[in-house]
């Protein structure tokens, strides 16, 4: 089946993307809702999660993505593969991740990944960047004690900007990492690796 065609970027501040999401009901989307949860923010076509959900049955995997056709396609692929520990959700994470996660049971979220988010290079577009203070607060509020946020990008200034936002949060401690700690690489990571470009990575752990 051909890949779903989508715009490369969408403006998260456009009226269409200012919708109010329904809170995600974990018990309705996973076969075993009590498993620890990994959340991938900005998961694109979900290839990272499709593979992770296949190799790690001890966790549930939730991907949030602003390009809705990719969410539909991801859920179709998960169903076809019989992965009942994987779900994708249409969500504008820079505006309303808090609403989407409002019904998440406490201490379930053990890991969050933010991998190669769109840099929105121009200064006038900086407000469109996905990782902002609100997103960091939402992630930290839901993260279980000892839970980890893995952040990586090949764009140095964006890495610096994101790391500062996570460092500012006193509930987190920073962990240096050289390697991706997961057994699966995202599409973007593979592309960056092929070009031999550096990748800037950190883990932030909830105290
Ligand atoms: C450069 S791609 C990287 C995708 C994937 N994480 C990877 O590493 O291959 C960035 C992804 O973040 C999504 N994205 C950007 N802004 C978003 C937002 N506000 N909420 C949710 N997803 C967003 C984009 O649509 C795109 O799929």
């Amino acid at each position: 089946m051909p890949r779903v065609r989508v715009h490369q970027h969408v403006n998260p501040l456009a009226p269409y993307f200012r919708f109010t999401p329904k809170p995600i009901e974990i018990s309705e989307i996973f076969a075993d809702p009590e498993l620890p949860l990994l959340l991938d923010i900005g998961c694109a076509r979900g290839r990272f999660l499709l593979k992770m959900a296949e190799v790690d049955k001890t966790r549930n995997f939730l991907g949030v993505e602003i390009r809705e056709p990719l969410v539909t396609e991801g859920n179709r692929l998960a169903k076809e593969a019989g992965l009942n520990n994987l779900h994708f959700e249409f969500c504008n994470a820079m505006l309303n991740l808090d609403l989407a996660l409002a019904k998440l049971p406490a201490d379930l979220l053990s890991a969050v990944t933010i991998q190669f988010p769109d840099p929105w290079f121009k200064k006038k577009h900086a407000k469109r960047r996905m990782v902002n203070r609100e997103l960091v607060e939402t992630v930290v509020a839901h993260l279980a004690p000892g839970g980890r946020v893995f952040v990586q990008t090949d764009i140095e200034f964006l890495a610096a900007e994101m790391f500062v936002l996570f460092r500012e949060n006193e509930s987190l401690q920073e962990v240096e990492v050289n390697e991706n700690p997961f057994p699966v690489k995202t599409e973007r990571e593979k592309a960056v690796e092929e070009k031999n470009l550096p990748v800037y990575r950190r883990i932030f752990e909830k105290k």
Side-chain angles (χ1 to χ4, degrees):
M1 179 168 276
R3 276 157 68 100
V4 173
R5 292 183 65 145
V6 282
H7 292 290
Q8 204 184 351
H9 299 289
V10 296
N11 173 2
L13 298 174
Y16 181 77
F17 295 106
R18 291 179 175 274
F19 61 95
T20 304
K22 274 209 304 204
I24 298 166
E25 296 276 4
I26 291 291
S27 59
E28 290 173 8
I29 59 177
F30 297 123
D32 181 354
E34 290 183 5
L35 291 180
L37 179 68
L38 182 151
L39 169 68
D40 188 33
I41 309 178
C43 60
R45 292 180 186 276
R47 299 299 191 257
F48 166 74
L49 290 184
L50 281 154
K51 196 74 202 159
M52 284 293 296
E54 192 188 312
V55 299
D56 184 356
K57 302 287 188 200
T58 68
R59 290 198 260 201
N60 286 324
F61 296 88
L62 174 65
V64 294
E65 168 56 47
I66 197 170
R67 291 179 294 170
E68 195 173 13
L70 301 186
V71 172
T72 308
E73 185 199 41
N75 282 326
R76 179 182 63 77
L77 293 173
K79 195 171 173 198
E80 272 174 22
L83 296 168
N84 56 19
N85 60 338
L86 172 60
H87 180 80
F88 296 97
E89 195 77 26
F90 177 39
C91 172
N92 182 355
M94 57 90 68
L95 275 189
N96 47 33
L97 185 66
D98 56 337
L99 298 178
L101 299 185
K103 291 199 176 170
L104 201 66
D107 294 347
L108 204 64
L109 186 63
S110 64
V112 174
T113 49
I114 298 171
Q115 308 189 70
F116 305 91
D118 298 325
W120 291 110
F121 285 104
K122 291 183 186 160
K123 207 169 170 189
K124 68 175 181 184
H125 290 154
K127 283 203 167 72
R128 298 182 185 180
R129 290 181 195 141
M130 192 178 76
V131 178
N132 55 25
R133 202 157 276 121
E134 291 73 29
L135 181 140
V136 173
E137 274 171 22
T138 298
V139 163
V140 174
H142 287 283
L143 204 60
R148 291 181 147 202
V149 186
F150 174 56
V151 187
Q152 63 171 350
T153 176
D154 55 316
I155 311 294
E156 192 171 9
F157 82 86
L158 185 63
E161 184 181 288
M162 292 193 293
F163 297 165
V164 164
L165 286 171
F166 281 100
R167 260 177 221 136
E168 277 174 3
N169 194 299
E170 291 182 353
S171 303
L172 297 173
Q173 62 189 18
E174 189 169 348
V175 182
E176 296 258 351
V177 270
N178 297 320
E179 297 293 322
N180 179 345
F182 294 100
V184 180
K185 293 179 173 135
T186 68
E187 297 303 291
R188 180 78 198 177
E189 182 171 1
K190 287 184 218 156
V192 165
E193 232 176 40
E194 269 170 30
K195 292 184 198 152
N196 264 322
L197 294 172
V199 176
Y200 307 92
R201 308 182 163 98
R202 286 291 186 283
I203 283 175
F204 295 90
E205 186 176 274
K206 187 155 171 185
K207 293 177 196 164

